[in-house]
C-alpha cells in the first residue's frame, strides 16, 4: 500500500514537471515570435528613393520593387523589410522587367529604413525596324518602342530576317555588332563617311548605306579591320568620278574588293 502511494506521488511529480516544461516552451516560443515580429516591424521599409530614371516611370519602378520584396519575405516579418533581401536579385528583377534599364545600384540605410535605387538607363545607338520599330542600345538590346520616321538624324536598321524579336532581345551577336560599330567609326573619322542606314538581309548580309551615295556590303564573317583597310585603299586609288558612279562596294573578302557601278540609262 505504501509503495503504491509512493508510485502515484512520483508519477504526479513527473507530470507536473512535464507540464511546467511544456508551458515554459510555449512561453518561450510565443515570446520569441513576439520579439521577432516586433523586430520585423521595427525594420519595415518606410521609404524608397529612386533616381536616374527618365524612360522608366517612377511609380512603376516602386511598384516592382515592392512586389519583388514581397516574394522574398520571411514568415512573421513584414513583406517590405530593410534587412532580409538580396540587392543583386532585386537589381536583376528590375532589369528583367524594364528593358530600358542597363544597370541598377542599390543601397540601404537600416536606421532610416530607407532604400535608394540608382538606375542607369540604356543610351540609344540606333532605331531598329522589322514589323515594328524599337530603340536599340550600343549592346544591340531592344529596349523601347520607337516611332517609324524618315531622315538621317539617327542610324536606322532595317531587319529583313524572319526571326522574331521583342523587348530585351539582342539583334545580333556582340562580335558582329562591335565590328560594325568600329568599322562605322573608322570610316567616319578617317574618310568622312557616315553610315545612314543598315539593312540586314535574310542571309545575314549587312548593307551599309553611306552618305557617299554608295553602299558597303559586310557580313558576320567579315574581318572588319581588314575591310576598313581595303576600303581605304580602294577610295584612295579610285578616281572621284568613278566613286560617284559606284552602287556598292563588297568588302566581305580579305584579299579582294568588289564593286558594282550604277547602271547607265
Amino acid at each position: 500500500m505504501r509503495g503504491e502511494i509512493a508510485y502515484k506521488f512520483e508519477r504526479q511529480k513527473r507530470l507536473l514537471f512535464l507540464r511546467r516544461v511544456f508551458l515554459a516552451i510555449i512561453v518561450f516560443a510565443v515570446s520569441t515570435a513576439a520579439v521577432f515580429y516586433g523586430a520585423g516591424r521595427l525594420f519595415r521599409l518606410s521609404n524608397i528613393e529612386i533616381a536616374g530614371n527618365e524612360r522608366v516611370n517612377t511609380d512603376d519602378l516602386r511598384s516592382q520593387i515592392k512586389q519583388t520584396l514581397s516574394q522574398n519575405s520571411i514568415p512573421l516579418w513584414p513583406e517590405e523589410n530593410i534587412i532580409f533581401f538580396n540587392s543583386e536579385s532585386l537589381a536583376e528583377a528590375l532589369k528583367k522587367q524594364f528593358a530600358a534599364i542597363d544597370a541598377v545600384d542599390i543601397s540601404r540605410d537600416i536606421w532610416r529604413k530607407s532604400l535608394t535605387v540608382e538606375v542607369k538607363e540604356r543610351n540609344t545607338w540606333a532605331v531598329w525596324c522589322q514589323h515594328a520599330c524599337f530603340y536599340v542600345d550600343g549592346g544591340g538590346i531592344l529596349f523601347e518602342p520607337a516611332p517609324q520616321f524618315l531622315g538621317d538624324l539617327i542610324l536606322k536598321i532595317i531587319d529583313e530576317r524572319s526571326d522574331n524579336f521583342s523587348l530585351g532581345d539582342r539583334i545580333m551577336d556582340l562580335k558582329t555588332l562591335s565590328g560594325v560599330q568600329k568599322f562605322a567609326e573608322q570610316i567616319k573619322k578617317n574618310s568622312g563617311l557616315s553610315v545612314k542606314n543598315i539593312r540586314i538581309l535574310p542571309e545575314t548580309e549587312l548593307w551599309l548605306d553611306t552618305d557617299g551615295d554608295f553602299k558597303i556590303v559586310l557580313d558576320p564573317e567579315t574581318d572588319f579591320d581588314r575591310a576598313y583597310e581595303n576600303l581605304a585603299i580602294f577610295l584612295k586609288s579610285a578616281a572621284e568620278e568613278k566613286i560617284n558612279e559606284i552602287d556598292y562596294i563588297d568588302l566581305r573578302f580579305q584579299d579582294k574588293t568588289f564593286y558594282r557601278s550604277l547602271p547607265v540609262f
Side-chain angles (χ1 to χ4, degrees), residues 22-164:
F22 182 69
L23 180 61
I25 293 174
I26 293 177
V27 170
F28 176 78
V30 171
S31 300
T32 301
V35 170
F36 192 69
Y37 179 76
R41 302 291 295 181
L42 179 64
F43 292 107
R44 181 169 187 168
L45 181 63
S46 62
N47 184 44
I48 299 176
E49 299 177 0
I50 300 173
N53 59 306
E54 294 182 3
R55 300 178 185 273
V56 183
N57 182 273
T58 299
D59 290 337
D60 292 341
L61 272 170
R62 184 173 284 107
S63 176
Q64 184 62 39
I65 290 169
K66 291 181 178 181
Q67 179 181 338
T68 303
L69 293 179
S70 69
Q71 294 172 352
N72 299 295
S73 60
I74 296 176
L76 299 179
W77 275 56
E79 293 179 346
E80 303 162 17
N81 71 81
I82 193 65
I83 296 180
F84 294 110
F85 78 89
N86 188 307
S87 58
E88 293 182 1
S89 296
L90 177 57
E92 288 301 317
L94 293 178
K95 290 195 294 183
K96 182 177 180 180
Q97 181 66 25
F98 304 103
I101 294 178
D102 185 32
V104 181
D105 182 64
I106 299 174
S107 59
R108 50 186 156 187
D109 188 326
I110 294 178
W111 304 115
R112 290 179 57 233
K113 295 179 283 188
S114 176
L115 192 68
T116 300
V117 179
E118 183 76 27
V119 171
K120 179 184 177 183
E121 295 182 332
R122 300 184 186 277
N123 295 318
T124 300
W125 171 60
V127 169
W128 172 94
C129 295
Q130 199 178 57
H131 307 298
C133 294
F134 296 88
Y135 291 111
V136 59
D137 75 346
I141 300 296
L142 304 176
F143 66 86
E144 186 178 34
Q148 295 193 22
F149 64 91
L150 300 175
D152 304 326
L153 292 178
I154 186 172
L155 175 65
K156 189 172 183 180
I157 302 173
I158 309 299
D159 197 333
E160 299 180 5
R161 294 173 295 178
S162 60
D163 308 65
N164 292 318

Side-chain angles (χ1 to χ4, degrees), residues 167-215:
L167 280 175
D169 289 343
R170 176 172 279 116
I171 61 172
M172 67 177 71
D173 65 272
L174 286 174
K175 181 181 177 181
T176 303
L177 182 67
S178 176
V180 171
Q181 290 172 336
K182 183 178 179 181
F183 179 85
E185 291 172 0
Q186 286 178 318
I187 66 172
K188 173 68 174 177
K189 179 180 178 181
N190 300 312
S191 303
L193 291 170
S194 294
V195 177
K196 301 185 296 182
N197 301 300
I198 298 176
R199 286 175 58 213
I200 306 177
L201 301 188
E203 300 80 11
T204 69
E205 288 181 3
L206 304 170
W207 285 66
L208 282 59
D209 188 8
T210 73
D211 58 2
D213 293 328
F214 61 83
K215 303 174 185 65

Side-chain angles (χ1 to χ4, degrees), residues 224-240:
F224 292 96
D225 289 331
R226 187 62 179 269
Y228 167 71
E229 293 174 1
N230 290 342
L231 177 64
I233 294 172
F234 179 84
L235 294 178
K236 185 175 180 179
S237 60
E240 183 176 350

